[in-house]
Amino acid sequence: MRILGIDPGIAIVGFGFVDKQGSKVVPVQYGCIQTEAHTPEEERLLHVYEGMKQLIDKYKPDAVALEKLFFNRNVTTAMAVSQARGVLVLAAVQSGLPVAEYTPMQVKQAIVGYGKAEKKQVQEMVRMFLKLQVVPKPDDVADALAVAICHAHSYTLNSKLNEVLRR
């Protein structure tokens, strides 16, 4: 199963493709889509959408996992990121992919085992899980990979639970 993890943003969209192979999670490709500051917002959204569609078409994931948005300060930023998130979900749904969402706390719990873990702890665990030489940069990329790993673990658990419930 190939999973696309996404850390939504308007300036930087982190993405990470991983393959779930039995109990292992293997990195396929990761990086970010960046948009230029001072570019009209509609052009930035188009760039994010088109970039994600190209990635989906190239790497053909079976599922998409996104980090749920959490903002407590800047409403302007929250609106722009929400719009970017919308075009990312649209790209996935148009491609016929199921979309799962995880809160930052759920991702931290799945990766570190503690829902209030520090960002650096999560990044180091991503590096270790995927057997990478260095923590992926920028942070948005490591966050996207963490979301993908979280989904790989959650999907397995949820599949087993559904199997038991169907009996």
Side-chain angles (χ1 to χ4, degrees), residues 144-157:
L145 286 166
V147 174
I149 295 166
C150 174
H151 185 68
H153 295 315
S154 298
Y155 176 82
T156 302
L157 178 63

Side-chain angles (χ1 to χ4, degrees), residues 50-69:
E50 289 176 341
M52 188 52 61
K53 282 294 283 179
Q54 288 173 359
L55 288 166
I56 289 170
D57 290 346
K58 182 174 182 178
Y59 294 101
K60 304 193 181 330
D62 299 301
V64 174
L66 285 106
E67 187 169 273
K68 281 187 180 178
L69 299 181

Side-chain angles (χ1 to χ4, degrees), residues 2 7 30 39 57 62 89 98 121 124 126-127 129 149:
R2 180 160 293 171
D7 181 29
Y30 50 89
T39 302
D57 290 346
D62 299 301
V89 170
Q121 290 174 292
E124 183 59 22
V126 165
R127 186 193 70 73
F129 266 123
I149 295 166

